[in-house]
Amino acid sequence: MFAGYILIAALLPIFMTVVFVAGSEIAQVQGFHEVLEKKIPMKEIKLPQTSFIKASDGAVISEISKPVNRINLDSADIPLFLKELFVVSEDQHFYEHPGFDLPAIGRALAINMQSNDIKQGASTITQQLARNLYLNTEKSYNRKLSELLYAYEIERSYTKEEILELYINAIYFHNGVYGIEAASQFYFQKPTKELSKAELAFLASIPNNPSMYNPFKYFDRTKERQERLVDQLSEKQLISLGEAEEIKNEPILLNRREQIDLYPDYVTYVEEELSDLIAQQEGFNKKLASAAEQEKEKVEEKLRQRVENVIASGIIIETALDPAIQEKAKESVKNRLPYNDLEGAAVVIDHEKHQVVALVGGKHYQKYDFNRGYQAYRQPGSAIKPLLVYGPYLERTNASLQKKVNAGPYCKNGYCPKNYGGGVYGNVSLERAFIYSYNTPAVRLLDSIGVENGFKDLANFQFSKVTASDHMLSSALGGLSYGMTPLELTAAYTTFANNGYYQPARAIKKVTTMDGKVLYSWKDSQVEVWSKATTDKIRQLMKKTIQSGTAKKINLSNGYAGGKTGTTNDYKDYWFIGLTDQYTAGVWIGKDKPENMKSIQSAAPQQLIWKDMMTK
């Protein structure tokens, strides 16, 4: 400890002399500044702050406090009264000193040497800011000297007003809250501009020792400090004695606010989509596509860090979420699936706007759990037929829906699919084959146009796990290597609502700074997959499926409704994907570890969930 006294005593005079030297010594000062700038490069200071996710109606649905809960205020929005409080209580010579208070340091050094311990720090507001930004709270003379150097560089780079603004935004107010605005909202559920002077003084009492002045644990202690701060203002004649008494006598009523964190199924996906959006617009996708396997991890880590930095900068993510539909979908998935271990997922897309308005990741989904809405790759069963079979076939043949196709037994190269229940139906119309989901006609149709032609059309939808190994006739019935997610499959069906044009469906409308500057937005373009004539026929087939086919449980009274069922081998997955005039919606149900679910087939909960979501 004694060596520390000697060091600080020796270094401080040298430091002060260099800083204040004038005249013939000016060149030395310049050299010293150059050394400091190299050792302590003073980049633009950007305090990390909270980001917000908003629903389509502008309501905040989630606050992302990574790494801290903070809302930065401009100096003009910080009350003068609050600035005076901090200057008077923390650093009365703030506007005169160059970042450190030499007389105060001397007094503190004398006291510390006398007590053989570090009792006083004599830190200015600028030093405290330096400690918050660059250093730690370790009590050592080395850290103290670093603090002085950083404070001096801050003073050279910023005005006093800017330093005070940064300080008031940076300081810790306990309970995970940083900066005055987040503190105001957390402790009083009001913005800073609406706080009374008594409330401002109460909050200003906390940062001096946040643990000691935690208002929820030590309210009386905090109130006593508040009154001392007010008395200090009065002593400095910044307020009158009468006003000081009024401020001290005003009751303080805390009103704790919890952070908003609603709709976890949807919000989790929004955060994932944000990463995809940044990757696309900042070139990470191209780098990943061309990177060697060992390089991909490095690119992915850089992307992860970039996303973290964007979120920490304080952004607003505007989404297409419709809270009413989200709540309806979530409630239906939960209520319609009372069976043990049975899970479900649902997606609703406004197909005119190409926006995801609702997404359910599971019956009892918790934030960051496995989200079945966009992470579960499952076999689509017959739900693939409109995309891989009927769309491509009708586009290439322009066939009438009354054209006959053989629904009898079929075998080719050892592949011998059967109709559900082993039924043999002979020649049937395309319409009948579709609405009753016969299997052998679907395989025959794909075979007739060529498997590659079917997959050429399917490639437009960019299913992430459809591979070259899937290019076989069994895929006509949904027999894929990995399958597709409910979001992917539902988005593909929007093509039938858009006259044959496909465009990816997005949850994010745009990402902006706090003041509204647009940072990111999707720049998707439409791709023509099929003609309007083809999609009109598919719409007609899907409508008949609901009216008299495999989806008779769905019967909406108003407007258009059409869709397609899907059941996989051994009844391990049940699907229904369908359209109304405004929405394309998809429902999947199954078990995370696939098992036979034939016992619930007649109940068709997937169809009932879809109907619940689409009923106004």
Side-chain angles (χ1 to χ4, degrees), residues 227-284:
E227 293 181 7
R228 290 199 302 273
L229 296 187
V230 173
D231 286 338
Q232 283 183 274
L233 285 184
S234 176
E235 290 166 8
K236 294 292 181 180
Q237 298 182 346
L238 293 170
I239 59 174
S240 66
L241 286 173
E243 185 178 8
E245 289 305 310
E246 288 180 9
I247 292 171
K248 291 190 291 184
N249 290 332
E250 180 182 318
I252 298 295
L253 302 175
L254 296 176
N255 186 14
R256 182 171 183 149
R257 172 188 178 274
E258 299 299 332
Q259 280 199 290
I260 298 171
D261 194 12
L262 307 173
Y263 311 116
D265 313 56
Y266 191 90
V267 163
T268 302
Y269 174 66
V270 168
E271 292 187 23
E272 180 76 14
E273 189 177 287
L274 175 65
S275 178
D276 294 341
L277 178 56
I278 293 173
Q280 184 194 83
Q281 296 198 2
E282 297 193 3
F284 288 96

Side-chain angles (χ1 to χ4, degrees), residues 56-105:
S56 59
D57 61 3
V60 173
I61 58 173
S62 181
E63 298 171 89
I64 312 175
S65 298
K66 298 176 183 177
V68 297
N69 179 14
R70 175 189 283 125
I71 303 169
N72 291 328
L73 288 183
D74 292 334
S75 181
D77 297 321
I78 300 173
L80 176 61
F81 179 79
L82 184 68
K83 295 175 182 178
E84 291 173 339
L85 276 169
F86 280 119
V87 169
V88 166
S89 62
E90 298 292 329
D91 187 359
Q92 293 187 17
H93 301 287
F94 171 70
Y95 290 104
E96 291 85 46
H97 64 61
F100 46 84
D101 188 338
L102 188 56
I105 291 174

Side-chain angles (χ1 to χ4, degrees), residues 513-531:
T513 59
M514 290 298 179
D515 58 3
K517 178 185 176 183
V518 176
L519 298 174
Y520 305 97
S521 62
W522 288 105
K523 304 292 192 298
D524 298 314
S525 57
Q526 292 188 337
V527 176
E528 186 176 13
V529 184
W530 301 300
S531 65

Side-chain angles (χ1 to χ4, degrees), residues 275-540:
S275 178
D276 294 341
L277 178 56
I278 293 173
Q280 184 194 83
Q281 296 198 2
E282 297 193 3
F284 288 96
N285 283 349
K286 290 181 180 178
K287 292 177 183 177
L288 285 169
S290 61
E293 199 59 39
Q294 61 268 27
E295 292 297 315
K296 284 187 177 179
E297 285 189 12
K298 294 180 181 178
V299 177
E300 288 170 349
E301 175 61 20
K302 287 181 180 178
L303 171 60
R304 186 190 64 78
Q305 291 177 357
R306 175 59 181 153
V307 173
E308 286 184 357
N309 289 339
V310 170
I311 291 174
S313 71
I315 57 173
I316 296 174
I317 306 171
E318 296 187 15
T319 77
L321 176 73
D322 185 318
I325 296 177
Q326 177 72 23
E327 289 168 6
K328 191 185 297 184
K330 184 72 175 179
E331 194 68 16
S332 183
V333 168
K334 184 172 65 175
N335 293 339
R336 296 289 188 182
L337 301 176
Y339 318 96
N340 288 336
D341 301 325
L342 189 60
E343 272 294 351
V347 178
V348 182
I349 297 169
D350 183 324
H351 45 235
E352 184 178 343
K353 297 178 180 177
H354 309 285
Q355 294 175 346
V356 180
V357 299
L359 186 146
V360 177
K363 279 196 299 189
H364 305 290
Y365 183 82
Q366 300 294 314
K367 198 169 186 181
Y368 303 126
D369 282 354
F370 177 69
N371 191 311
R372 299 162 189 85
Y374 73 95
Q375 292 178 315
Y377 289 85
R378 305 292 293 222
Q379 302 300 321
S382 293
I384 197 67
K385 291 175 182 176
L387 302 169
L388 182 60
V389 178
Y390 286 93
Y393 177 82
L394 291 171
E395 184 72 12
R396 285 163 179 79
T397 65
N398 195 29
S400 163
L401 298 183
Q402 300 311 312
K403 178 183 171 68
K404 299 298 182 181
V405 59
N406 188 354
Y410 174 92
C411 259
K412 185 173 183 178
N413 299 328
Y415 176 57
C416 305
K418 298 186 183 305
N419 293 316
Y420 172 72
V424 177
Y425 304 104
N427 288 329
V428 300
S429 67
L430 290 176
E431 179 182 286
R432 185 173 181 84
F434 184 101
I435 69 174
Y436 291 111
S437 203
Y438 296 156
N439 289 334
T440 58
V443 177
R444 281 189 168 93
L445 293 175
L446 182 59
D447 192 21
S448 72
I449 62 168
V451 171
E452 292 306 319
N453 280 324
F455 275 93
K456 180 181 178 182
D457 289 2
L458 197 73
N460 288 293
F461 306 116
Q462 301 177 355
F463 290 113
S464 58
K465 292 197 176 182
V466 172
T467 66
S469 63
D470 292 319
H471 291 208
M472 56 183 63
L473 286 173
S474 59
S475 293
L477 309 182
L480 303 171
S481 302
Y482 299 100
M484 44 203 56
T485 69
L487 177 57
E488 287 182 329
L489 192 53
T490 305
Y493 266 66
T494 63
T495 309
F496 303 123
N498 288 300
N499 298 324
Y501 285 86
Y502 172 73
Q503 181 175 320
R506 307 296 190 183
I508 296 174
K509 295 195 288 187
K510 62 181 177 180
V511 179
T512 74
T513 59
M514 290 298 179
D515 58 3
K517 178 185 176 183
V518 176
L519 298 174
Y520 305 97
S521 62
W522 288 105
K523 304 292 192 298
D524 298 314
S525 57
Q526 292 188 337
V527 176
E528 186 176 13
V529 184
W530 301 300
S531 65
K532 182 178 184 299
T534 293
T535 53
D536 283 347
K537 289 176 182 177
I538 299 291
R539 286 170 61 86
Q540 187 176 339

Side-chain angles (χ1 to χ4, degrees), residues 542-557:
M542 292 197 295
K543 183 176 181 179
K544 285 288 185 74
T545 300
I546 284 179
Q547 290 176 336
S548 57
T550 56
K552 288 186 289 186
K553 285 184 178 292
I554 298 172
N555 184 20
L556 301 183
S557 56

